[in-house]
Amino acid sequence: EDQVTQSPEALRLQEGESSSLNCSYTVSGLRGLFWYRQDPGKGPEFLFTLYSAGEEKEKERLKATLTKKESFLHITAPKPEDSATYLCAVLSGSRLTFGEGTQLTVNP
Amino acid sequence: DAGVTQSPTHLIKTRGQHVTLRCSPISGHKSVSWYQQVLGQGPQFIFQYYEKEERGRGNFPDRFSARQFPNYSSELNVNALLLGDSALYLCASSLVGTEDSPLHFGNGTRLTVT
């Protein structure tokens, strides 16, 4: 059974304080690893797809990396508007299996 | 461009009733998936439909059913509602049913069962 574990569950940062979120996964036949951002009361918003170990993708202050067992979402010099829940998911077959998310709060 | 639209946005039902949730995918997207998100947890896969055929089903009881229409919109039906069915129901669409096309989610239907 596919499993995704995200850590930490919650993270509080000061504006400008860089950090990383972790996503560990166990999957039979990884077809892609996805990062989403979810704001309260909204659906998840797509950020990145990673397909193979060593791959990296960047978008503004976010950079996602992938190894054979985990992925990291690095947040550089975060701003209050980066506050959200960040979800990691693995694609196996036709389904995405999500982790429980990391709730990020960035204080001004 | 309109994103994935879901209706209704909120719904309150009583135990034992049934409910129908609706989803319109992004224009041009042929695949629709349904997910259930309980408060504080990540979304859980319920169904995927591609070209009007069921392509995947998660670990949900037969009380849950879905279908996709010729215009690629979709309905999720839940019968004999239980308190535990209270959740945010998310619909997502993608161009095709493969890993090359990321899922784009709607803002969900918040279902409360009392």
Side-chain angles (χ1 to χ4, degrees):
Chain A
E1 184 178 326
D2 301 340
Q3 276 197 310
V4 178
T5 303
Q6 291 189 245
S7 61
E9 291 183 10
L11 181 63
R12 284 186 173 274
L13 299 173
Q14 289 299 122
E15 184 172 2
E17 179 186 1
S18 301
S19 188
S20 295
L21 312 182
N22 176 263
C23 170
S24 300
Y25 63 90
T26 304
V27 62
S28 54
L30 179 70
R31 298 176 67 192
L33 184 138
F34 296 75
W35 282 97
Y36 284 84
R37 167 194 171 127
Q38 187 172 27
D39 293 297
K42 299 284 186 72
E45 175 189 346
F46 171 72
L47 294 174
F48 304 109
T49 309
L50 301 166
Y51 294 106
S52 56
E55 190 174 357
E56 297 184 353
K57 288 195 177 170
E58 288 189 63
K59 179 181 179 180
E60 296 182 356
R61 296 176 293 282
L62 301 176
K63 183 170 81 171
T65 62
L66 182 65
T67 72
K68 287 187 178 179
K69 293 185 178 180
E70 56 191 351
S71 177
F72 293 93
L73 184 65
H74 307 277
I75 303 176
T76 302
K79 298 182 177 182
E81 53 262 42
D82 294 322
S83 296
T85 295
Y86 290 85
L87 295 165
C88 167
V90 295
L91 179 65
S92 177
S94 62
R95 70 184 64 188
L96 282 179
T97 300
F98 281 86
E100 297 199 345
T102 293
Q103 186 174 1
L104 174 66
T105 304
V106 183
N107 295 315
Chain B
D1 284 346
V4 176
T5 57
Q6 294 186 243
S7 63
T9 55
H10 295 82
L11 201 52
I12 300 175
K13 290 286 190 177
T14 304
R15 277 178 298 176
Q17 288 187 316
H18 73 273
V19 67
T20 298
L21 311 181
R22 295 179 174 82
C23 171
S24 293
I26 292 172
S27 178
H29 285 195
K30 297 182 178 181
S31 177
V32 170
S33 299
W34 288 94
Y35 286 77
Q36 180 197 65
Q37 187 175 25
V38 174
L39 196 62
Q41 297 183 16
Q44 278 200 300
F45 175 74
I46 310 176
F47 287 109
Q48 188 209 11
Y49 278 78
Y50 176 60
E51 288 285 12
K52 301 178 287 295
E53 289 189 6
E54 182 182 305
R55 294 299 182 95
R57 183 185 182 116
N59 296 326
F60 281 81
D62 291 343
R63 299 184 296 106
F64 288 77
S65 64
R67 54 180 175 167
Q68 186 177 32
F69 298 100
N71 66 354
Y72 302 107
S73 67
S74 178
E75 282 183 355
L76 176 69
N77 294 284
V78 186
N79 293 323
L81 286 166
L82 303 174
L83 295 179
D85 295 331
S86 296
L88 180 67
Y89 288 85
L90 295 163
C91 174
S93 73
S94 59
L95 280 170
V96 293
T98 72
E99 69 271 24
D100 295 325
S101 178
L103 293 183
H104 295 271
F105 285 85
N107 286 328
T109 294
R110 171 71 63 187
L111 173 65
T112 302
V113 182
T114 63

